Amino acid sequence: MSNAPQFIDGIDNLSLVDGVIRYDLVSVGKIVDGKPVPERVGSVALSLQAFLRTHRQMTLSIERMVEQGILKKNEQPQDGPEGAKLN
């Protein structure tokens, strides 16, 4: 297993099965008809507790970036067709 950083553009195919959260890591590999086509480049499996800890850490990181002015809070969620879905 490599410890090299993996750049991804997002996640897809989020599911919960038997207490384990699984999702695919996706990266834009090509553009077809002017639209990005995400390609699976890996996957992650987390216990429900680990998933919740990860969510908490990401939320805290986002809050710090908002406080530092790096990000601006958007009150309307931006759901697009490439967003993660819970199956």
Side-chain angles (χ1 to χ4, degrees), residues 5-19:
Q6 173 93 34
F7 179 82
I8 63 168
D9 290 305
I11 64 171
D12 199 7
N13 300 320
L14 184 69
S15 63
L16 171 63
V17 178
D18 294 331

Side-chain angles (χ1 to χ4, degrees), residues 1 18-19 22 37 46-47 63:
M1 184 168 130
D18 294 331
R22 298 175 190 277
V37 178
L46 299 166
S47 68
E63 288 172 0

Side-chain angles (χ1 to χ4, degrees), residues 34-87:
K35 295 183 182 180
V37 178
E39 295 178 352
R40 182 181 175 276
V41 294
S43 62
V44 174
L46 299 166
S47 68
L48 192 52
Q49 293 81 9
F51 180 75
L52 293 173
R53 280 193 304 272
T54 301
H55 177 270
R56 186 172 35 251
Q57 287 291 17
M58 288 187 172
T59 299
L60 290 172
S61 294
I62 290 169
E63 288 172 0
R64 280 194 298 271
M65 286 185 261
V66 168
E67 288 172 3
Q68 295 170 357
I70 297 168
L71 294 176
K72 191 178 215 181
K73 194 110 177 171
N74 185 353
E75 299 303 323
Q76 293 288 57
Q78 299 294 316
D79 293 332
E82 295 85 33
K85 303 168 283 295
L86 184 59
N87 296 331

